[in-house]
């Protein structure tokens, strides 16, 4: 038994030594910056865009294989004008899946991303060429992303046809595992401005979200959202919402659990507060059921005040005709 343990430890030490030697050799002989001109040339040839990678690409080998890309920018199609840029980007790969020929991106870190998106009058956008697929994806390598972390980023969108402009700034996002048609843990906060309709607000959003366009299934679990600012035609508006929502529009199935919505703000010189509480609401095709829904509305303007309370218990019926016991 002692000999087996001894030889096992020796074998393990040998493997560790080989790994250390391999990392040392790779570090000494492989320089990713040697491939920068090739990458830039390929982007220019394939997409007619100028890719700029400032500084050196830095590699890390422990505890995860990773790369620090530094500042990166890409131009508009057939133009030197900047389309998008990143102040810093880091990518790390999980080690164990590599042994099974699986490329699993452990975490993506992006800081200071900036993007300008334009929809032209003819309906095309300034990123259509980036969506075209020139080559088929490899069938031998499994690609997966375990998480994304974005900090201090911004996106500007303008529609030349309608004149609408939207902007997100101070954008931060942290996600859990990302895969198609699977729920995603997500937390984000950002400032939003728009002119159609007029919006200037700070937004926070957290929860577990599912977006499956193919199955037409959308859901939000443990939703915790807040919006503060000028919107909906009001000033100093504060909206909070929590609960669970599950929607399948194609089959007309909607489930609401523990939904709470609160709104307050100044509208046309009046102070308005609204509270909605829906512990459970189920809509399946032509059938709607709910145990109890309460709505409270208060409005104060000068010396006038208005209060209304609505309680709907034991709701049943259809979207066109509902019945309630009180």
């Amino acid at each position: 038994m002692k000999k087996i343990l001894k030889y096992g430890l020796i074998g393990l030490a040998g493997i560790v030594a080989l790994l250390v030697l391999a990392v040392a050799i790779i570090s000494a002989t492989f320089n990713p910056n040697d491939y920068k001109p090739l990458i830039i040339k390929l982007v220019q040839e394939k997409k007619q865009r100028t890719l700029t990678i400032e500084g050196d690409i830095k590699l890390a080998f422990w505890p995860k294989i990773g790369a620090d890309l530094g500042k990166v920018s890409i131009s508009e199609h057939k133009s030197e004008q900047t389309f998008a840029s990143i102040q810093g980007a880091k990518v790390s790969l999980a080690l164990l899946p590599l042994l099974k020929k699986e490329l699993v991106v452990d975490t993506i870190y992006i800081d200071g991303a900036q993007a300008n998106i334009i929809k032209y009058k003819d309906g095309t956008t300034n990123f259509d060429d980036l969506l075209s697929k020139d080559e088929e994806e490899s069938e031998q390598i499994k690609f997966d992303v375990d998480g994304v972390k974005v900090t201090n980023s911004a996106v500007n969108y303008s529609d030349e046809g309608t004149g609408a402009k939207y902007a997100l700034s101070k954008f931060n996002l942290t996600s859990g595992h990302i895969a198609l048609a699977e729920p995603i843990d997500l937390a984000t906060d950002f400032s939003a401005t728009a002119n159609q309709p007029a919006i200037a607000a700070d937004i926070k959003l957290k929860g577990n979200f599912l977006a499956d366009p193919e199955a037409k299934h959308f859901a939000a679990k443990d939703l915790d959202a807040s919006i503060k600012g000028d919107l909906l035609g009001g000033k100093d508006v504060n909206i909070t919402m929590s609960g669970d929502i599950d929607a399948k529009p194609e089959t007309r199935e909607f489930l609401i659990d523990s939904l709470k919505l609160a709104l307050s703000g100044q509208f046309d010189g009046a102070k308005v507060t609204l509270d909605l509480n829906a512990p459970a609401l189920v809509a399946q095709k032509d059938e709607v059921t709910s145990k109890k829904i309460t709505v409270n509305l208060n409005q104060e303007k000068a010396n006038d005040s208005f209060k209304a309370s609505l309680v709907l218990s034991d709701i049943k019926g259809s979207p066109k005709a509902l019945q309630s016991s009180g």
Side-chain angles (χ1 to χ4, degrees):
M1 184 64 183
K2 291 183 179 180
K3 288 185 177 181
I4 295 176
L5 182 59
K6 178 181 178 181
Y7 293 145
L9 291 174
I10 292 174
L12 180 61
I15 293 173
V16 172
L18 287 174
L19 288 175
V20 172
L21 180 61
V23 169
I25 293 174
I26 293 174
S27 300
T29 61
F30 175 73
N31 184 1
N33 296 286
D34 293 339
Y35 297 90
K36 280 172 56 176
L38 177 60
I39 297 172
I40 293 171
K41 182 180 178 181
L42 287 174
V43 172
Q44 184 64 50
E45 291 178 351
K46 296 289 185 180
K47 300 298 180 181
Q48 290 79 56
R49 292 176 181 258
T50 300
L51 176 67
T52 303
I53 304 175
E54 298 184 14
D56 292 335
I57 299 174
K58 300 176 182 178
L59 294 182
F61 296 94
W62 188 264
K64 299 173 183 177
I65 295 178
D68 185 348
L69 303 179
K71 188 176 181 179
V72 180
S73 64
I74 188 169
S75 72
E76 295 277 4
H77 183 62
K78 297 181 179 179
S79 171
E80 292 301 318
Q81 186 176 354
T82 301
F83 165 69
S85 63
I86 298 174
Q87 292 297 319
K90 295 180 181 180
V91 179
S92 59
L93 306 178
L95 293 175
L96 293 179
L98 289 176
L99 302 177
K100 299 183 292 183
K101 295 184 178 181
E102 294 180 357
L103 183 61
V104 177
V105 179
D106 187 72
T107 309
I108 298 175
Y109 301 91
I110 298 175
D111 178 62
Q114 302 276 340
N116 297 304
I117 300 174
I118 302 172
K119 182 179 180 181
Y120 302 111
K121 292 182 179 180
D122 61 2
T124 62
T125 69
N126 63 338
F127 61 89
D128 285 345
D129 61 298
L130 297 177
L131 301 179
S132 61
K133 294 184 178 181
D134 296 328
E135 297 87 11
E136 295 184 359
E137 295 182 0
S138 173
E139 297 182 356
Q140 296 180 348
I141 298 178
K142 179 183 177 181
F143 184 78
D144 204 353
V145 178
D146 197 51
V148 174
K149 187 175 181 63
V150 181
T151 55
N152 194 30
S153 297
V155 178
N156 296 310
Y157 173 86
S158 60
D159 189 328
E160 294 186 347
T162 63
K165 293 183 178 181
Y166 308 93
L168 302 182
S169 60
K170 302 176 184 176
F171 184 86
N172 301 295
L173 180 145
T174 301
S175 81
H177 180 261
I178 297 177
L180 186 63
E182 289 187 10
I184 303 172
D185 287 325
L186 192 69
T188 182
D189 61 89
F190 54 88
S191 296
T193 59
N195 64 346
Q196 296 182 12
I199 296 174
D202 295 325
I203 300 170
K204 291 184 178 181
L205 184 66
K206 184 179 180 180
N208 180 271
F209 301 90
L210 170 66
D212 187 353
E214 185 174 346
K216 294 180 173 60
H217 185 193
F218 308 91
K221 187 177 181 181
D222 298 326
L223 175 64
D224 184 5
S226 68
I227 304 175
K228 296 181 180 180
D230 301 337
L231 66 155
L232 301 175
K235 299 291 185 180
D236 298 324
V237 177
N238 187 5
I239 302 173
T240 60
M241 184 168 62
S242 62
D244 299 341
I245 302 173
D246 194 302
K248 297 179 181 179
E250 188 77 4
T251 56
R252 291 180 295 173
E253 295 180 74
F254 301 90
L255 297 122
I256 294 175
D257 186 23
S258 304
L259 180 65
K260 293 182 179 180
L261 173 66
L263 179 149
S264 64
Q266 297 286 339
F267 297 88
D268 296 327
K271 182 180 179 181
V272 177
T273 60
L274 172 69
D275 292 293
L276 181 147
N277 192 348
L281 176 64
V282 179
Q284 294 180 326
K285 296 183 179 179
D286 293 328
E287 182 180 1
V288 178
T289 59
S290 177
K291 292 183 178 180
K292 185 179 181 180
I293 295 178
T294 61
V295 181
N296 295 306
L297 173 65
N298 294 330
Q299 178 178 298
E300 297 179 2
K301 185 176 184 180
N303 295 325
D304 295 330
S305 63
F306 171 80
K307 296 183 179 181
S309 296
L310 175 66
V311 179
L312 298 175
S313 301
D314 301 322
I315 297 175
K316 59 182 178 180
S318 69
K320 295 181 179 180
L322 294 175
Q323 292 181 346
S324 173
S325 62

